[in-house]
Amino acid sequence: MIPVDIEEERKEILKRYRKLLRQAKPILKPGDTKLIKKAFSISLEAHKEMRRKSGEPYIYHPLEVALVCVEEIGLGTTSIIAALLHDVVEDTDLELEDIEREFGHKVMTIIDGLTKISGVFEYGSSQQAENFRKMLLTLSDDVRVILIKLADRLNNMRTLSSMPRHKQLKIASETMYLYAPLAHRLGLYAIKSELEDLYLKYTDTDTYLDIVQKINESKSYRKKFIKSFIQPIEDELTKQDFKFTIKGRPKSVYSIYNKMKKQGIPFEEVYDLFAVRIIIQSQLENEKADCWQVYSIVTDFYRPNPDRLRDWISTPRSNGYESLHTTVMSNTGQWVEVQIRTDRMDEIAERGYAAHWKYKDRDTIGGKTGSGLDDWIGQVRSILESNDSNAIEFMDDFRGNLFHDEVFVFTPKGDLKVLPIGATALDFAFEIHTEIGAKCIGAKVNQRLVPISHTLKNGDQVEILTSNKQKPTEDWLNNVVTSRAKAKIKDALREDKKSAILDGREIVQRKLKAMKMDFNSETVEQLRAYYELKTANEFYYRVGKGSIDPTTIKAFKDFKEVQKGKSKVGEKVKDESTFTKEIKSLKGSEHDQLLIGEDMDVVDYILAKCCNPIPGDDVFGFVTINEGIKIHRTSCPNALELLSNHGNRVIKARWTSQKLIAFLAGLRILGTDRVGLINDVTKVISNELKVNMRSITVDSDAGIFEGTIKLYVHSTEHLDHLIKNLQQVDGIIKISRFD
């Protein structure tokens, strides 16, 4: 154990506290410093015996969270106090009533929203999802809950290196699943980018470090290039008496990674690696004209790409973001993204909701500011009020409401409506009014008759057609993307659904009794998983409606019997803690993880078909309801959802240096076609020791050769060696692994 210098730590705590006060000074009112000092003293006392996983005093964490609130989000005294105290109720004997007595109702409400729910959860539910729902219930009253939670999450991600690997995966995935999209939705772009970069750093470290290294290697070239690119623009702006700053910055690591992945290209082929930002000083009434004037100056020197112009000044994004984006061709033949905005727009872009509120009225945060953000918070409120589904279903609904690409459409009178990309005529109808949505039979888009499922495009003018005989059906849920429409349709279906659920529940209860099986939450959860449905109510509903024949429950009983015969530890394991207990009792106290390849005799596990992991892949174990433990790759398409919603069912797993076993892997090959190419490819594979091919499919068109090969390998090392040899074949351009 590292010896602790108490005096040094005391000095460091005071240094951090003083830094917080220095940063907050411009916004403090008389008496605020006294309140902050009191909150700091309470927090210091409450956490005095506690240390973080890194060994540091716990008080560093609330101090850093408070600093993020001030420095990076721009929040005030109430938020500083709440940030300093956000863990005291959870971790100590201090009650919410004590907080209210000392600091008032507002601070108490925020801290209540930030305090995790304790206690036992129903089998199959998700503690993460329940806590998130609780926090959002407070969001609809006071948005500061979410802003402080984002500051808390950012500090947790910045200090993630001291956590064990499986905890890193859980926290990073939860961050990517919910908090990064939430930061984007609230306009906190800097925080969103950092959260995404940190997610990549901990889930795919090699790729992250590789991109960082390449960005650093190109730093001096980038500096030189940006300097010569902005020179003529600077001269002209100065000549026209603009007060301005110009920044050149690389895109975030995650956005570069995303482009590489989506377009299937290497780092060198990502054409807009950096953006140039021109920030001008301008009076509110001249902002639009000034920004377009700067655009005109830029395009005098460089040719713009007409498909890449984005005008978020005339129609700001619903999170308040305003800016003019264009992509222009430089003199060296490189595309460069140029963003043009004013000081005010830049602060809103960096600090999102808090800055938006600052430009309206400093006292309205948590209340109404009349922006698109408040419309969104209103939508969240309506989802919360009408949602009696389970927490995971609620999370799915909520996430669907976070994504940021938008379409701008118009009513017949010319009023603008902003909807998420993919929105339909039916979404538009519910956006106008619940009654209009519920009676919608179709629409006229640009005077042309279309069905309710018609997807809207930017600039469409939409007129809704209604009938008093119309009413929502189950299918409507497949024709909408907005949470508002989904919530209203579910409301309308709920009465009908309630009676079907009650009927279904009764039928299931009778059937289980007849089969001498217990009717409890565990059995129902296993039935839900057996029928591959999202919720228990969905299962009851289908039984009640007759789409699941209750006689098939007999097959579930047989399936359980088979599973029981196979399973050893597997049948007892429900989550991470029971797994750790079981494995320690069987293999000794130093064992707390699954060794793939060794533990088959004591633990029932299978390799997930969705990602086909092979030795050498970074993996985790997941406790399923009916199929024992499944091994997934951390890069599996389902990993994000599993790690975020069911973190308590994730167990540590690693490969052992085991005997040679063959695992299925897939390769995608792209090249220029020539006679004998397939022969050369198969020769390399068959010459490679102990590689068997399962299948090969090839397509050749206009001289381009595309093929997929499924083959059996022993490990990632073995696969990498094979890929290296295949890349030597004449005509092969690119080889990539697929799941």
Side-chain angles (χ1 to χ4, degrees), residues 106-373:
K106 257 221 175 326
V107 173
M108 185 274 285
T109 310
I110 295 171
I111 289 171
D112 184 29
L114 291 164
T115 303
K116 291 192 188 86
I117 307 167
S118 58
V120 180
F121 286 83
E122 194 177 301
Y123 185 58
S125 82
S126 159
Q127 186 163 357
Q128 284 118 308
E130 294 288 358
N131 281 318
F132 196 78
R133 172 149 68 175
K134 175 181 184 241
M135 184 172 63
L136 283 170
L137 283 163
T138 325
L139 158 79
S140 58
D141 296 325
D142 196 322
V143 75
R144 283 175 290 200
V145 175
I146 286 289
L147 296 172
I148 297 165
K149 184 66 193 175
L150 283 168
D152 176 42
R153 180 51 58 131
L154 182 61
N155 183 250
N156 285 335
M157 287 296 284
R158 284 172 176 172
T159 55
L160 204 55
S161 57
S162 53
M163 294 297 253
R165 175 76 183 139
H166 71 304
K167 284 272 166 58
Q168 287 178 350
L169 283 175
K170 271 190 267 192
I171 294 166
S173 298
E174 192 182 271
T175 300
M176 194 63 190
Y177 189 71
L178 277 168
Y179 293 102
L182 192 52
H184 186 110
R185 196 65 190 74
L186 292 167
L188 296 158
Y189 289 107
I191 288 178
K192 171 232 179 199
S193 295
E194 191 178 343
L195 289 175
E196 287 175 340
D197 284 0
L198 288 165
Y199 162 77
L200 189 62
K201 181 181 177 179
Y202 289 104
T203 54
D204 191 347
T205 311
D206 293 346
T207 306
Y208 173 82
L209 294 173
D210 187 44
I211 296 172
V212 168
Q213 187 190 343
K214 283 175 174 161
I215 289 173
N216 290 337
E217 280 168 5
S218 61
K219 201 173 189 172
S220 58
Y221 161 76
R222 205 168 55 240
K223 259 184 157 167
K224 217 160 88 182
F225 174 83
I226 288 171
K227 198 177 174 194
S228 68
F229 177 85
I230 65 177
Q231 192 62 58
I233 300 170
E234 277 184 329
D235 296 345
E236 189 56 35
L237 287 171
T238 309
K239 203 188 287 179
Q240 295 197 25
D241 287 337
F242 276 104
K243 287 189 170 57
F244 64 92
T245 47
I246 299 183
K247 301 173 185 173
R249 55 169 192 90
K251 292 277 177 78
S252 73
V253 179
Y254 183 79
S255 67
I256 293 170
Y257 161 78
N258 225 2
K259 276 211 162 92
M260 288 162 62
K261 203 168 143 194
K262 269 188 187 160
Q263 297 168 18
I265 52 173
F267 178 88
E268 291 69 26
E269 287 174 35
V270 178
Y271 71 78
D272 50 352
L273 275 172
F274 45 84
V276 169
R277 186 176 295 162
I278 303 170
I279 303 159
I280 57 171
Q281 288 177 24
S282 173
Q283 296 300 314
L284 197 59
E285 62 275 13
N286 302 331
E287 282 188 341
K288 194 172 172 183
D290 287 349
C291 287
W292 280 107
Q293 196 178 335
V294 174
Y295 171 80
S296 168
I297 291 168
V298 172
T299 53
D300 282 346
F301 293 106
Y302 304 108
R303 188 181 289 272
N305 178 340
D307 296 333
R308 304 276 298 175
L309 176 64
R310 300 282 181 272
D311 173 11
W312 282 304
I313 293 176
S314 307
T315 46
R317 281 178 162 178
S318 56
N319 58 14
Y321 180 83
E322 293 171 79
S323 192
L324 202 53
H325 290 201
T326 181
T327 302
V328 297
M329 177 62 80
S330 70
N331 299 334
T332 57
Q334 236 173 319
W335 288 107
V336 180
E337 187 184 308
V338 180
Q339 302 171 354
I340 301 160
R341 56 177 75 152
T342 63
D343 282 346
R344 179 190 67 83
M345 294 172 190
D346 191 57
E347 193 175 350
I348 288 173
E350 291 301 312
R351 287 183 161 186
Y353 196 96
H356 205 79
W357 141 71
K358 170 184 157 182
Y359 285 102
K360 303 254 179 194
D361 170 6
R362 272 230 173 248
D363 297 322
T364 57
I365 194 156
K368 277 278 168 203
T369 66
S371 72
L373 273 168

Side-chain angles (χ1 to χ4, degrees), residues 467-704:
S467 159
N468 285 332
K469 290 180 180 162
Q470 179 71 299
K471 65 177 199 168
T473 67
E474 194 82 24
D475 291 345
W476 279 26
L477 290 168
N478 303 323
N479 292 326
V480 290
V481 298
T482 58
S483 298
R484 179 193 175 98
K486 279 182 185 168
K488 298 299 177 192
I489 294 166
K490 282 178 184 172
D491 271 353
L493 296 172
R494 196 159 277 135
E495 284 315 306
D496 169 48
K497 206 166 181 175
K498 264 183 188 159
S499 61
I501 287 170
L502 288 171
D503 291 348
R505 187 186 163 95
E506 233 170 84
I507 294 165
V508 171
Q509 203 167 353
R510 281 203 307 272
K511 193 75 193 158
L512 289 175
K513 196 176 178 186
M515 289 177 353
K516 296 188 169 49
M517 288 178 77
D518 290 337
F519 176 72
N520 55 28
S521 60
E522 189 170 329
T523 308
V524 171
E525 183 57 24
Q526 288 172 339
L527 273 163
R528 176 205 64 73
Y530 176 74
Y531 286 100
E532 294 181 346
L533 295 168
K534 271 199 164 177
T535 64
N537 276 351
E538 188 59 32
F539 167 63
Y540 291 142
Y541 175 69
R542 296 210 183 181
V543 173
K545 277 286 189 192
S547 58
I548 288 179
D549 183 351
T551 58
T552 60
I553 295 175
K554 171 82 172 73
F556 160 73
K557 189 184 181 186
D558 298 340
F559 170 80
K560 265 196 83 170
E561 292 302 320
V562 172
Q563 291 298 105
K564 209 170 181 180
K566 274 167 47 179
S567 185
K568 296 175 183 70
V569 175
E571 66 176 355
K572 297 176 190 172
V573 170
K574 289 180 186 175
D575 57 27
E576 181 203 348
S577 55
T578 55
F579 170 80
T580 308
K581 271 183 212 150
E582 288 296 328
I583 205 84
K584 280 182 175 176
S585 72
L586 283 162
K587 297 191 72 184
S589 60
E590 71 283 4
H591 291 273
D592 66 345
Q593 61 183 316
L594 177 63
L595 296 177
I596 309 162
E598 239 177 55
D599 289 344
M600 200 67 180
D601 54 335
V602 288
V603 182
D604 190 26
Y605 66 84
I606 52 174
L607 302 178
K609 293 228 173 16
C610 48
C611 56
N612 281 326
I614 62 177
D617 281 335
D618 207 355
V619 290
F620 63 93
F622 184 76
V623 182
T624 66
I625 304 291
N626 285 331
E627 298 175 276
I629 293 163
K630 274 190 179 177
I631 308 300
H632 291 266
R633 279 161 62 186
T634 53
S635 58
C636 169
N638 297 317
L640 202 61
E641 202 261 336
L642 296 176
L643 290 159
S644 307
N645 278 340
H646 307 283
N648 59 319
R649 282 160 53 190
V650 173
I651 57 171
K652 287 186 275 189
R654 67 176 172 84
W655 302 96
T656 58
S657 48
Q658 66 205 77
K659 47 191 181 296
L660 290 181
I661 303 171
F663 294 86
L664 188 64
L667 292 180
R668 198 168 273 118
I669 297 181
L670 183 72
T672 51
D673 202 6
R674 63 171 172 80
V675 177
L677 181 63
I678 294 180
N679 189 29
D680 290 351
V681 166
T682 51
K683 208 181 279 176
V684 169
I685 293 169
S686 54
N687 286 348
E688 181 68 33
L689 240 60
K690 302 191 186 69
V691 170
N692 286 321
M693 259 194 301
R694 185 167 110 175
S695 68
I696 179 165
T697 54
V698 175
D699 188 26
S700 178
D701 182 29
I704 297 294

Side-chain angles (χ1 to χ4, degrees), residues 438-457:
K439 292 176 180 173
C440 175
I441 53 167
K444 277 186 183 174
V445 173
N446 307 327
Q447 305 302 315
R448 195 168 59 85
L449 207 59
V450 296
I452 59 173
S453 58
H454 176 83
T455 304
L456 302 174
K457 293 197 287 292

Side-chain angles (χ1 to χ4, degrees), residues 425-430 433-443 450-453 463-468 470-472 476:
L426 190 54
D427 282 305
F428 181 87
F430 277 104
H433 196 277
T434 305
E435 282 298 304
I436 291 173
K439 292 176 180 173
C440 175
I441 53 167
V450 296
I452 59 173
S453 58
E463 183 187 344
I464 297 299
L465 308 172
T466 60
S467 159
N468 285 332
Q470 179 71 299
K471 65 177 199 168
W476 279 26

